[in-house]
Amino acid sequence: MMTTDPTSPKSSWFWQRSLQYRLVFTYGVLFFVVLVLLMGLVARIVYTAQMSDAEHNLALQAFLAASSLEDPLSGYGSEFEAFARREADETRKEDDEHAGESSDDEDERRIEIAPQSPGAVTAPILARLDQVARTYARDTGARVTILDARGDPVVDSAFATNLFGNQWAQPEVQNALQREEMRSIRFDPVTGQRTLFVAAPIEQGATLLGFVQLARPLREISLGIWSLLLQILGIGVAAVSVATAFVYWIAHQIVRPLQTLETAALSVAAGDLDQRVPVERADEIGALGRAFNHMAQEVAQMMAQQRHFVANASHELRTPLTNIRLRSEALLGGIHDTALAQRYLSEIDSEADRLGRLATDLLDLSRLDSLSAKVEAAQAEAIDLLPQLRALAETHRLRIEQMGLTFTVDLPANLPRVRIWPDQLESILVNLLDNAAKFTPRGGEILLSAETADDCVHIRVRDTGEGIPAEDLPHIFDSFYRVDKARSPRRSHRSQSSGAGLGLSIVRTLVAQNNGRIEVSSTVGQGSAFVLRFPCSH
Ligand code: ADP
C-alpha cells in the first residue's frame, strides 16, 4: 500500500512533479526562445534584403525608363525631346515677360534646357508619353511619373498631374541630379501612404530633358516580406513542434524505467524481496536498474541470513534450556541418589554457564554489526603489538600447558605499529588460542608467532591438532557453523567454549573492522594455522 510521505517535497507547478513534463517544458521554452530570437534575426535580414532588392529593382526600372526616353531610336526619345524643347521655349517666353521677377534660384534650377523646336504639337506628344508611363507602370507595378527638367509632372500613370505639384525639391530628384542613390521613403500626399520613390534623370548628352519618377507603396513591398516571414515562421513552428515531440519521446524513454523502478522499490518495501526490474539499457538508467537488482538481492540475502541466524540462535538457546529443564524436573520429582542429583546440578550449572556465554556471544555479534562499532573501529590508534602479544602469551601459557600442550611463542625483536583496538586484538587471539587448545590432543603443540611481510604484520596461531576437512574450511567463519557435530572437542575442555559455532564468526567481524584479513589453512590429522594480516600504520 502506498502511503504519502510527509517529507516528500511539495511542488506548486505540475511540471515540477514530473520529470517528463519538466524536460518537455524546459526544452519547449528553450526552443521557443531560440525560435523567437532566430525569427527576429531572420526578419531583420529578410526585411533589409527585400527592401534593398525592391529599391534596386525600382531604381533599375527608373533608369531603364529614363534611358528609353533619352534614346532617339527608342521611339520615345524624340518625342520627349520635342516636348522638352517646347516647354523650354514657353518658359523662356514667360521669363522674358517677367524679366527681373524671377529669383536666382529658379535660374539655377534650369540647368540646361533644350532649344525650342518650332511647330511641335504638345497634345499628341503628351498622349505618347502617357502611354510610355502606363507601359512602364504595367511592367514594373509601380506608379510612373515623367517630370520635365524643372521637376513639373508631365504625365503620371495613375493620377492627374495637377494632384501633386513640382517634384524638384524631392530628395530622390535632387539625388538623381547628383547621380547619387536615387531613393526616398516618405508619405505620398496623393495616396496618403508611406511610399518608396526613386528617380532617374533623362539626359541627352549634357542636356537634362527631365526625370522619370517611380513610386511604390511600402505596404506592397512589406506584404511580400510578411508572406515570406510567415512561411519561415511556419517552418520554424513546425521544427519546434517536431523537436518538442522528440524531447517528449526521449523524456518518456527516461521516465518509463524510473517508474518501473519506483513500483519495484515499493514492492520490495512492502516485503516482496524477489522483485527485480528488467535491465535493457547500457546507460546510467541501466546501471541504476542493475544497482537496484543487486540491492534487492543483497537485502534478500541479508534477510535470509538473519532468519537463519535467528533460527540457529533459538535452537542453540533451546538445547541448554531443555537440558536444564529435564534435570530440574527430575530433581523436583525427587531423586534419592545423591550422586545423580549432584551430577544433575553440576550439569545444570554447566548448561547455565553455556547459556550465559551464548548470550554474551550473541550480544557481541549484534554490537559488532552496529554502525557505531564500525565507526569506532575505524578510529583505532596505532599501537605497538609486541608488548600486547607477550602479555597475552604469558596469561594463557599456564592454562595451555596444564592441558598437556606445548606452547611456543616466536616473536621478532621489532614489529611495525598497527592501527587496532587492543581489547579487540585480545578477543581475536583468545578465540583462536582457545580453539587450538580445544581441538589439539594432549602432547600436541600450539605456536603463536608474528612477522612483517609486504607492508603487513602477520600474526599466526598454529596447532598440531586434528585439523579441519577441506569442505568445511570455507564455512568455519559462518555463524553457528561447527565441523561435524559428532566430532566433539576434548570433553575436559568443553566448558571453556560456547561450542555454538560463533567464535570464529566474531573473530572474522573483529578482524575486518580493524582493516585486517584472516586466512586459514589446515590438514586433517596434522593441524591448522590461522593467519591474521593487519596493514602497517606509517
Ligand atoms: P566454536 O565456538 O564452536 O568453537 P568456532 O566458530 O570458534 O565455534 O569454530 C567453528 C568450528 O571450526 C568449530 O566447531 C571447529 O569444528 C572448527 N575449528 C575451529 N578452530 C579449529 C582448530 N584450531 N582446529 C580444528 N577445528 C577447528
Side-chain angles (χ1 to χ4, degrees), residues 120-136:
V121 183
T122 312
I125 297 173
L126 280 178
R128 285 285 288 157
L129 289 177
D130 193 48
Q131 193 192 346
V132 174
R134 283 176 198 282
T135 309
Y136 270 91

Side-chain angles (χ1 to χ4, degrees), residues 435 438-439 463 468 481-483 487 497 499-501 503-504 528:
N435 275 349
K438 234 183 343 176
F439 297 102
D463 63 61
I468 306 163
Y481 191 86
R482 278 168 295 189
V483 176
R487 182 186 76 145
S497 163
L504 286 181
S528 314

Side-chain angles (χ1 to χ4, degrees), residues 404-466:
L405 301 166
T406 312
F407 186 37
T408 311
V409 179
D410 181 13
L411 298 175
N414 284 307
L415 271 182
R417 294 174 85 82
V418 167
R419 226 172 254 288
I420 193 168
W421 287 103
D423 54 339
Q424 295 193 350
L425 177 67
E426 188 171 339
S427 294
I428 295 167
L429 289 172
V430 166
N431 259 300
L432 293 180
L433 286 173
D434 273 358
N435 275 349
K438 234 183 343 176
F439 297 102
T440 307
R442 291 184 82 83
E445 186 190 0
I446 295 176
L447 178 86
L448 171 68
S449 63
E451 65 197 23
T452 319
D454 301 335
D455 217 23
C456 271
V457 171
H458 294 187
I459 303 171
R460 198 182 306 265
V461 177
R462 194 157 58 80
D463 63 61
T464 56
E466 57 194 66

Side-chain angles (χ1 to χ4, degrees), residues 12-312:
S12 43
W13 299 97
F14 82 96
W15 53 270
Q16 286 178 318
R17 279 179 248 134
S18 156
L19 182 62
Q20 187 174 0
Y21 287 124
R22 187 181 285 225
L23 281 171
V24 172
F25 182 82
T26 309
Y27 278 97
V29 168
L30 192 75
F31 290 151
F32 181 73
V33 169
V34 170
L35 178 72
V36 166
L37 289 176
L38 259 175
M39 281 309 297
L41 191 72
V42 168
R44 207 183 133 81
I45 293 170
V46 167
Y47 183 82
T48 315
Q50 291 281 348
M51 277 305 285
S52 103
D53 203 34
E55 285 166 14
H56 179 73
N57 273 341
L58 214 58
L60 189 71
Q61 295 300 337
F63 173 78
L64 287 174
S67 301
S68 74
L69 287 166
E70 285 165 5
D71 184 5
L73 297 177
S74 73
Y76 303 128
S78 54
E79 281 162 1
F80 190 72
E81 189 193 350
F83 174 81
R85 277 204 209 102
R86 186 178 156 67
E87 284 276 291
D89 183 41
E90 278 178 12
T91 310
R92 194 160 36 213
K93 272 189 208 158
E94 279 172 28
D95 285 353
D96 288 347
E97 284 165 18
H98 309 291
E101 285 177 26
S102 55
S103 69
D104 291 347
D105 284 354
E106 280 175 353
D107 284 343
E108 273 174 32
R109 211 169 62 188
R110 277 179 266 112
I111 299 166
E112 260 189 79
I113 307 296
Q116 184 189 13
S117 165
V121 183
T122 312
I125 297 173
L126 280 178
R128 285 285 288 157
L129 289 177
D130 193 48
Q131 193 192 346
V132 174
R134 283 176 198 282
T135 309
Y136 270 91
R138 198 183 56 236
D139 292 352
T140 60
R143 181 181 133 211
V144 180
T145 312
I146 298 173
L147 307 172
D148 67 12
R150 286 174 301 181
D152 284 325
V154 178
V155 287
D156 187 280
S157 65
F159 301 106
T161 50
N162 55 3
L163 285 177
F164 51 100
N166 186 284
Q167 301 290 304
W168 181 263
Q170 300 298 357
E172 73 278 7
V173 177
Q174 287 298 313
N175 285 347
L177 271 175
Q178 308 297 322
R179 310 287 187 278
E180 284 172 6
E181 198 192 349
M182 301 164 286
R183 75 170 186 102
S184 135
I185 293 172
R186 57 191 156 79
F187 267 101
D188 186 345
V190 184
T191 59
Q193 288 181 1
R194 271 174 69 76
T195 306
L196 170 67
F197 286 94
V198 298
I202 308 166
E203 292 167 308
Q204 271 187 355
T207 309
L208 177 73
L209 300 177
F211 302 92
V212 174
Q213 188 188 42
L214 262 61
R216 228 184 134 187
L218 279 188
R219 209 162 58 85
E220 271 179 30
I221 302 169
S222 52
L223 267 180
I225 297 176
W226 274 115
S227 89
L228 191 67
L229 282 179
L230 273 177
Q231 283 175 32
I232 297 173
L233 182 72
I235 293 169
V237 168
V240 165
S241 309
V242 169
T244 309
F246 185 64
V247 169
Y248 181 88
W249 180 76
I250 294 267
H252 182 69
Q253 296 297 308
I254 295 172
V255 166
R256 198 170 42 90
L258 293 181
Q259 285 167 338
T260 314
L261 208 60
E262 185 199 7
T263 315
L266 288 171
S267 300
V268 169
D272 180 5
L273 295 177
D274 294 332
Q275 195 59 234
R276 299 287 182 274
V277 291
V279 179
E280 298 152 357
R281 301 155 64 134
D283 58 7
E284 289 86 346
I285 289 179
L288 185 64
R290 269 193 297 279
F292 174 84
N293 287 345
H294 181 63
M295 182 198 73
Q297 191 183 341
E298 289 288 304
V299 169
Q301 229 163 47
M302 267 164 59
M303 294 290 285
Q305 273 173 7
Q306 218 145 41
R307 267 197 299 273
H308 188 64
F309 185 88
V310 171
N312 276 327

Side-chain angles (χ1 to χ4, degrees), residues 318-388:
R318 213 179 306 121
T319 312
L321 276 176
T322 313
N323 286 341
I324 290 172
R325 209 180 57 234
L326 284 174
R327 282 156 184 75
S328 61
E329 274 171 8
L331 285 169
L332 285 172
I335 294 180
H336 303 295
D337 184 346
T338 336
L340 186 64
Q342 192 62 39
R343 209 186 92 202
Y344 278 1
L345 281 173
S346 158
E347 280 171 357
I348 287 174
D349 183 56
S350 166
E351 290 299 285
D353 212 28
R354 187 174 154 201
L355 213 53
R357 272 196 311 277
L358 190 61
T360 313
D361 282 353
L362 286 172
L363 270 176
D364 279 355
L365 264 182
S366 78
R367 194 175 52 81
L368 284 173
D369 270 344
S370 73
L371 186 66
S372 59
K374 285 170 190 157
V375 172
E376 193 183 292
Q379 293 164 350
E381 281 182 19
I383 57 159
D384 186 358
L385 286 177
L386 279 173
Q388 169 105 9

